[in-house]
Amino acid sequence: MFEQLGLIGCGLMGGSFALALKQAGLVRRVVGYSPSPRTLQRALELGVIDAEAPSAPLAASGADLVLLAVPVAATEATLRAIQPQLGPQALVMDVGSTKSDVVAAARRALATPAQLAGFVPAHPIAGKERAGVDHAEASLYRDRQVILTPLPETAPSQVERATELWQALGSRVRHMTPAAHDAAYATVSHLPHLLAFAAMNAVQAQPQAAEFLALAGPGFRDFTRIAASDPSIWRDILLANKTEVLAQAQHFRTALDALEHTLRANDGGALQQLITQASTARAQWQLCGGNGSNTPGAPAVPSST
């Protein structure tokens, strides 16, 4: 049981975390901060938070659990602002979709070894089509993976607390290094978002875009669903993990070139072989549980303020 959660960012991710803690009986009081007065008011009205704070440091003051549900680009400034208020035993987590930059930010912003020891970077593989506190729900993290990427300086006891906390919310917890996390999610989340953005832009750039889109069916809808994700969030994610994303983009270009080569050569046999290879791999992944719950997936909205 935690006495007080300091919630910094009361949107979909942070709000759902607070509701889940309350439903599980794991927190006595939630104090929240959001730069948006409307979001803060709605969080109060919906029972996501019990009290509002006028600033991030005041939300963290007296908290034995702090969650940063802010854009990844705001991590360092937020940690720097709250660090004078952090108690020596406080467990601090984030929910960002990139981790190497978050770890680097923590090393720059947290002032004492005890504060660094209490920081456990986290990435819940969960989200919804629509962001915002109005869409927060206690079940968001149930049956979902949560990736923890503790620092070498993180205290084992704090990693254990974080693991047990997420497990109590119904999540499946996995530990990875920040670098391994970023490489994996560049592959299965960040690059797919980049491709979806590119696909929509490619259609929109054509004079017949409206006509083409009027004829689109479920396949196009499913392929481009994640293109509707929050632009500012995905700008930050792609820039933060650009080295790994660009590496994966090169792998994609190689695969696309191979398919284009078969078309130019009118080589139906080779084309079918490449399609079969992809179809088989996709089917095997699905059989192994590839439904976005127990394998790394690509949520439409991975974080929200």
Side-chain angles (χ1 to χ4, degrees):
M1 166 72 75
F2 290 90
E3 292 298 320
Q4 181 174 308
L5 166 65
L7 181 62
I8 303 172
C10 300
L12 172 67
M13 303 296 281
S16 295
F17 183 78
L19 290 175
L21 282 181
K22 287 186 171 190
Q23 187 178 86
L26 294 175
V27 68
R28 297 189 190 278
R29 185 168 184 257
V30 178
V31 178
Y33 166 73
S34 171
S36 165
R38 181 194 174 279
T39 295
L40 206 54
Q41 182 60 37
R42 284 297 290 156
L44 274 171
E45 293 170 355
L46 296 170
V48 170
I49 62 176
D50 303 307
E52 57 183 292
S55 67
L58 289 176
S61 179
D64 53 347
L65 173 63
V66 177
L67 186 78
L68 275 62
V70 301
V72 290
T75 301
E76 182 174 352
T78 305
L79 287 173
R80 198 176 296 280
I82 69 172
Q83 65 86 12
Q85 304 297 327
L86 295 177
Q89 301 301 319
L91 171 61
V92 182
M93 295 187 292
D94 76 310
V95 292
S97 294
T98 55
K99 294 273 79 83
S100 295
D101 60 320
V102 166
V103 167
R107 288 203 171 100
R108 291 190 297 265
L110 296 177
T112 69
Q115 290 176 347
L116 203 56
F119 183 57
V120 183
H123 177 197
I125 314 304
K128 284 186 173 183
E129 295 287 346
R130 301 179 68 183
V133 69
D134 289 293
H135 305 286
E137 61 179 58
S139 62
L140 185 69
Y141 302 116
R142 193 175 304 146
D143 296 324
R144 298 290 176 179
Q145 281 202 114
V146 172
I147 312 300
L148 301 182
T149 63
L151 294 67
E153 300 93 329
T154 306
S157 60
Q158 295 285 36
V159 178
E160 184 177 356
R161 290 176 79 198
T163 300
E164 292 175 350
L165 171 58
W166 285 106
Q167 288 174 338
L169 301 185
S171 303
R172 286 182 287 275
V173 178
R174 182 170 181 174
H175 298 171
M176 300 177 71
T177 67
H181 168 280
D182 289 353
Y185 281 91
T187 307
V188 298
S189 178
H190 306 165
L191 179 68
H193 278 78
L194 191 72
L195 298 180
F197 300 144
M200 286 304 305
N201 287 344
V203 173
Q204 287 298 116
Q206 300 178 55
Q208 312 97 315
E211 178 184 348
F212 290 163
L213 290 173
L215 297 171
F220 183 83
R221 179 198 62 208
D222 293 345
F223 173 66
T224 60
R225 174 183 62 83
I226 53 178
S229 298
D230 186 289
S232 62
I233 289 174
W234 277 95
R235 173 201 63 204
D236 289 350
I237 290 171
L238 292 170
L239 287 173
N241 202 26
K242 66 180 180 180
T243 299
E244 294 293 347
V245 173
L246 289 172
Q248 290 304 319
Q250 187 56 55
H251 288 302
F252 177 80
R253 283 192 177 89
T254 299
L256 183 60
D257 286 346
L259 286 163
E260 288 181 352
H261 177 76
T262 65
L263 291 175
R264 292 190 181 97
N266 201 33
D267 189 343
L271 177 61
Q272 181 170 339
Q273 183 177 359
L274 290 173
I275 294 172
T276 299
Q277 178 181 322
S279 177
T280 300
R282 179 60 171 78
Q284 289 175 342
W285 176 73
Q286 187 71 31
L287 285 173
C288 292
N291 56 9
S293 60
N294 57 0
T295 56
V301 186
S303 60
S304 172
T305 57

